[in-house]
Amino acid sequence: MTTTSQSINDIYQTAKEALVAYGATQSIAHHVADATARSESLGNVICGLAYLESYCIQLESGRVNGSVEPRVERQKPSAIYVDGGFGFAQPAFAAGLETAVTAAKENGVASLAVGHTHTCTSLGYFTEQAAAKGVICIGMTNASPVVAAPGGKTPVIGTNPIALSVPDGAGGMAMHFDFSTSAVALGKIAMAKAAGQPIPLGWAVDAQGNPTTDPEAALAGSLVSAGGYKGWGLGLMVEILAAGMTGSVNSLDVGGLKKAEGSPHDLGQYYLMIDPSGAPEFAARIARVSDVIAADEGARVPGKKRNVMSNVEVPVALWTRVQQLAKGA
């Protein structure tokens, strides 16, 4: 595969131009392009430019609203709700972030429920923003139905990821992770299919519920939960909070995330923000664990040693398409 080196700034600028060309306002395009560029800078290509064309097509078809102003409501002293109005998740989260962080610092704990939005792609993009403001943030979201219950074959929930970002008290993060509660992200199976490669056993089952290494059969069947019943339970927890606490739909009622037309995604994200300043031993307890892990050769705390790149390799065909989108083509 032929690639081209592109700066993260150029990726941001070109993605923003594309979103504006297809109907997003400058402000909304900024937030979505920033998330796209951030994913690329971390090597998370599944959540980066690979989603841009679908964003543009869905802006054009009206499946996502590119001009809606999110509505923020402080329902209780520590409960903030944002109605995304069937727009993108990134500007909706941004609209409620300061209020939620303030509530967490006033009350010790606060929740930020973001409802009626497009897929948020990389969930850790959101939790790390809260951590940068000094609060611990746990985030979760649902998605289109691709995961069946252990022993079953009917897709019920999405990959339903969980993310956690913990501040280190110095503007950085002591710990950060973002992972799906399924055995693997759906995009990895799609990439295996495109490459003509098999997938490992334990990632998915076919339409009859049989384990498979065929990515095409997996895409016609279901993903399985990470850790069997343990991951299934976590996925259901995410479903209850992301859909139930935000007024958004269940994964069961979401169409394919990249389909050009159809009903809005109407997904939800639910965030818990915790102010660690009231726990005098918090930093010491993190350091106690981190120091032991760091001393163990080959081990690391999740999120440590993340390589944030300023230039990345992008497939030539993808970059050519991105440039076309920036011209409204």
Side-chain angles (χ1 to χ4, degrees):
M1 179 176 60
T2 307
T3 63
T4 175
S5 179
Q6 298 297 326
S7 73
I8 294 303
N9 183 63
D10 283 347
I11 287 172
Y12 163 78
Q13 292 292 348
T14 310
K16 183 180 178 183
E17 289 171 14
L19 293 160
V20 170
Y22 278 83
T25 65
Q26 289 284 338
S27 175
I28 288 172
H30 157 69
H31 288 293
V32 180
D34 185 67
T36 300
R38 179 64 173 171
S39 289
E40 289 287 341
S41 75
L42 293 167
N44 182 7
V45 296
I46 293 173
C47 293
L49 289 171
Y51 255 96
L52 185 64
E53 184 169 18
S54 69
Y55 291 156
C56 292
I57 291 171
Q58 291 167 349
L59 279 166
E60 189 173 49
S61 72
R63 195 173 179 203
V64 60
N65 190 329
S67 60
V68 66
E69 289 291 333
R71 180 177 56 83
V72 181
E73 179 183 356
R74 192 165 180 174
Q75 297 174 326
K76 294 182 179 180
S78 60
I80 290 78
Y81 178 76
V82 180
D83 184 340
F86 306 119
F88 287 104
Q90 291 85 359
F93 176 85
L97 178 59
E98 290 293 346
T99 303
V101 169
T102 297
K105 291 183 177 180
E106 289 175 353
N107 299 288
V109 178
S111 65
L112 173 59
V114 180
H116 311 305
T117 71
H118 212 57
T119 179
C120 72
T121 52
S122 175
L123 187 61
Y125 170 77
F126 302 89
T127 60
E128 67 180 4
Q129 291 181 61
K133 295 181 179 296
V135 298
I136 302 165
C137 187
I138 305 168
M140 54 203 81
T141 186
N142 60 342
S144 53
V146 293
V147 178
K153 59 180 183 292
T154 302
V156 177
I157 63 175
T159 54
N160 287 18
I162 298 173
L164 168 72
S165 297
V166 180
D168 63 6
M173 286 191 294
M175 184 168 70
H176 171 82
F177 65 71
D178 176 7
F179 55 74
S180 63
T181 54
S182 58
V184 68
L186 183 65
K188 289 192 175 181
I189 294 181
M191 290 173 70
K193 178 185 175 183
Q197 298 174 342
I199 60 172
L201 275 175
W203 279 15
V205 295
D206 63 20
Q208 288 71 48
N210 302 309
T212 183
T213 60
D214 180 352
E216 188 168 356
L219 292 171
S222 306
L223 302 187
V224 300
S225 297
Y229 284 98
K230 296 177 181 180
W232 174 245
L234 288 173
L236 287 175
M237 177 193 76
V238 170
E239 184 72 24
I240 290 167
L241 294 174
M245 294 299 292
T246 68
S248 305
V249 298
N250 287 105
S251 294
L252 280 166
D253 301 312
V254 181
L257 298 182
K258 290 188 177 181
K259 286 184 177 179
E261 298 181 344
S263 300
H265 290 175
D266 197 10
L267 290 166
Q269 301 94 48
Y270 189 72
Y271 303 91
L272 288 174
M273 299 188 188
I274 305 164
D275 180 13
S277 65
E281 300 300 322
F282 182 75
R285 295 297 172 263
I286 292 178
R288 173 78 175 103
V289 175
S290 298
D291 290 348
V292 172
I293 295 172
D296 187 6
E297 186 176 357
R300 67 179 178 88
V301 175
K304 290 291 187 181
K305 300 180 181 178
R306 284 204 298 172
N307 180 26
V308 182
M309 299 173 284
S310 57
N311 289 272
V312 297
E313 293 296 318
V314 180
V316 168
L318 175 58
W319 186 245
T320 299
R321 183 62 186 130
V322 168
Q323 291 177 307
Q324 291 171 342
L325 291 168
K327 297 176 182 177

